[in-house]
Amino acid sequence: MFTSRLLTGVMLSLGVTLAAQAAENPAFTVLEQTDSGQPMLFQSTHPLKKGDVIKVYATNAQQITVMQVAACGSDCSHVHLIGTLPLSAYAVGLTTNSARFVVPQSGYISFWVQPVVGLLSTPLNASNGPWSFARVDPFLLLGQQTPYLMPPNPMPARAFSSDEGGLHARFDHRTFVTVSLADAGQ
């Protein structure tokens, strides 16, 4: 009887210790912030592997808001855009949207939230260099210059928290975005 209570106590304290360590090791962190200290660019705290899955869940995102995803190698010398995910729901009456993004290459992953406004004002011509295109929804094909040196118009987060469950950020207009890594088998 005493042994089972002792074993239960040890297992419970080990679980609390592991949970506390996991909370201290978030998957994502702030990469860059505004002059006033608001976070606007986020990055994985460790390199992700090709095939890892990032889950994105957004609530109350304004039309048309996207999350841009970029990648770089272990030294982050060449950051390039690897994906554009729509955050706003396109069906009438829905206020949430979720997406799963498969990481196409190993390395650090950076992301930011931005409105599409302003991205469409850059003229497409050969002198601008190479372009990449991303289908944001059935009606919008978004073109952007590559390589992607500096993100245009990222929205600063008004508040955020980061833990082993992912990064949770609140933006203007009551837009909430959660970014997390999918567990194996999910």
Side-chain angles (χ1 to χ4, degrees), residues 37-128:
Q38 294 175 308
M40 62 181 177
L41 299 176
F42 303 94
Q43 186 174 41
S44 59
T45 55
H46 61 279
L48 300 181
K49 294 179 289 204
K50 179 179 180 178
D52 283 349
V53 177
I54 297 172
K55 296 187 305 184
V56 179
Y57 180 78
T59 304
N60 295 327
Q62 296 294 303
Q63 301 286 342
I64 293 174
T65 306
V66 295
M67 185 174 91
Q68 302 281 31
V69 183
C72 62
S74 59
D75 62 353
C76 278
S77 58
H78 300 290
V79 178
H80 57 282
L81 192 64
I82 58 171
T84 300
L85 304 173
L87 295 179
S88 40
Y90 292 98
V92 175
L94 295 179
T95 59
T96 62
N97 191 21
S98 61
R100 296 171 67 82
F101 180 76
V102 178
V103 177
Q105 68 182 61
S106 297
Y108 287 92
I109 301 298
S110 301
F111 59 91
W112 59 95
V113 171
Q114 70 183 89
V116 174
V117 177
L119 291 179
L120 305 176
S121 63
T122 304
L124 289 171
N125 64 44
S127 66
N128 289 352

Side-chain angles (χ1 to χ4, degrees), residues 136-173:
V136 176
D137 70 14
F139 309 105
L140 179 62
L141 184 66
L142 181 62
Q144 300 196 60
Q145 271 187 297
T146 54
Y148 210 65
L149 301 176
M150 180 60 190
N153 203 18
M155 292 173 57
R158 300 294 177 214
F160 85 100
S161 64
S162 184
D163 56 28
E164 78 282 354
L167 183 121
H168 315 279
R170 179 180 58 82
F171 297 89
D172 283 341
H173 309 291

